[in-house]
Amino acid sequence: QTIVIATRNPGKAKEFAALFGKEGYQTKTLLDYPELPDVEETGTTFEENARLKAETIAQILQQPVLADDSGLAVDALNGMPGIFSARFAGERKSDAANNAKLLHELTDVSDEKRTAHFHCTLVFAAPQKESLVVEADWNGRIGRIPQGENGFGYDPLFIVPDFNKTSAELSNDEKNAISHRGMAVQKLEKVWKNWLEDNQ
Ligand code: ITT
Ligand code: NA
């Protein structure tokens, strides 16, 4: 059984491969389908953008497709970068550039006020069906220097309370067991079998 995930983010692709691999599924991503178009994320919410990605690719492939729209919401920045997390420092900028911009914006923000959470919305779409939507958050705070080499995106700056380490210092398994994406996948696995079988 193969799950197609409408992402071109290699960090997400690796996490989904591990999360679904544990359940005995293979995964494919848009990195395996270079001919498919980039879906423009014109939505104003995580759900809208996840729907755009999942539903567009499900229509083209005529099969079920999962998409992830996620991001980091920083309280001292009124929830920014949020849905703009991938492009915080500009289109096609590196994770390092996004992290540098985040640190810059938080220069004068004290330790107690550096709270933040990662958010993940997953949308599972299939032709002729109402999409399935699940979401989860992961609370933490933003450090002052990038630390750790694992993960991707803002992981080197996201300090996980119970570990007192950044999520880039956690092993892949440790991160997947508690992250926004790991929790959203757990929620999805509780409901998707019924949804796939239900010919509404
Ligand atoms: P796709 O749309 O192709 O899936 P993307 O990276 O553009 O890839 P999003 O629009 O959902 O995906 O943006 C998510 C961004 O949020 C991502 O690029 C990171 O900057 C950040 N992010 C999400 N989950 C993260 C995680 O687990 N660790 C670190 N950063 C994360
Ligand atoms: Na994106």
Side-chain angles (χ1 to χ4, degrees):
Q1 287 260 59
T2 300
I3 301 168
V4 176
I5 306 162
T7 182
R8 284 199 167 85
N9 181 316
K12 289 185 190 179
K14 187 174 168 189
E15 292 183 9
F16 282 120
L19 286 162
F20 290 122
K22 280 208 170 63
E23 307 300 319
Y25 295 93
Q26 308 268 81
T27 53
K28 272 189 166 182
T29 68
L30 299 185
L31 301 165
D32 301 304
Y33 294 92
E35 68 281 12
L36 289 180
D38 266 326
V39 179
E40 241 197 295
E41 295 185 37
T42 53
T44 58
T45 62
F46 290 109
E47 181 176 333
E48 278 175 26
N49 284 334
R51 275 182 187 275
L52 280 169
K53 292 186 272 194
E55 292 172 3
T56 304
I57 303 300
Q59 271 312 315
I60 296 174
L61 295 179
Q62 285 296 305
Q63 68 168 88
V65 171
L66 182 69
D68 166 311
D69 205 63
S70 49
L72 178 70
V74 179
D75 294 318
L77 304 179
N78 297 313
M80 281 292 280
I83 64 166
F84 305 106
S85 293
R87 39 191 155 129
F88 193 36
E91 296 289 339
R92 275 172 261 280
K93 288 279 169 50
S94 64
D95 288 345
N98 285 334
N99 283 329
K101 178 169 166 78
L102 179 60
L103 283 181
H104 179 74
E105 305 262 316
L106 293 178
T107 311
D108 297 325
V109 177
S110 67
D111 286 347
E112 316 80 84
K113 296 204 170 131
R114 296 172 80 90
T115 53
H117 65 268
F118 275 123
H119 176 86
C120 176
T121 297
L122 298 179
V123 170
F124 211 162
Q128 322 293 343
K129 281 174 93 81
E130 191 53 48
S131 296
L132 186 61
V133 183
V134 296
E135 55 190 1
D137 286 344
W138 190 21
N139 293 323
R141 56 200 171 75
I142 306 302
R144 292 192 177 271
I145 42 162
Q147 284 177 292
E149 303 290 331
N150 297 328
F152 67 100
Y154 298 93
D155 282 329
L157 289 179
F158 186 78
I159 299 172
V160 183
D162 288 343
F163 287 81
N164 226 354
K165 285 181 186 174
T166 70
S167 44
E169 294 177 296
L170 301 186
S171 69
N172 299 339
D173 283 351
E174 283 171 335
K175 182 182 171 189
N176 284 338
I178 55 175
S179 75
H180 52 315
R181 187 163 297 103
M183 292 304 108
V185 165
Q186 284 191 16
K187 289 184 186 174
L188 184 73
E189 284 169 347
K190 289 198 180 120
V191 289
W192 70 349
K193 288 214 175 83
N194 276 334
W195 176 82
L196 277 168
E197 283 158 15
D198 179 17
N199 290 308
Q200 54 186 326

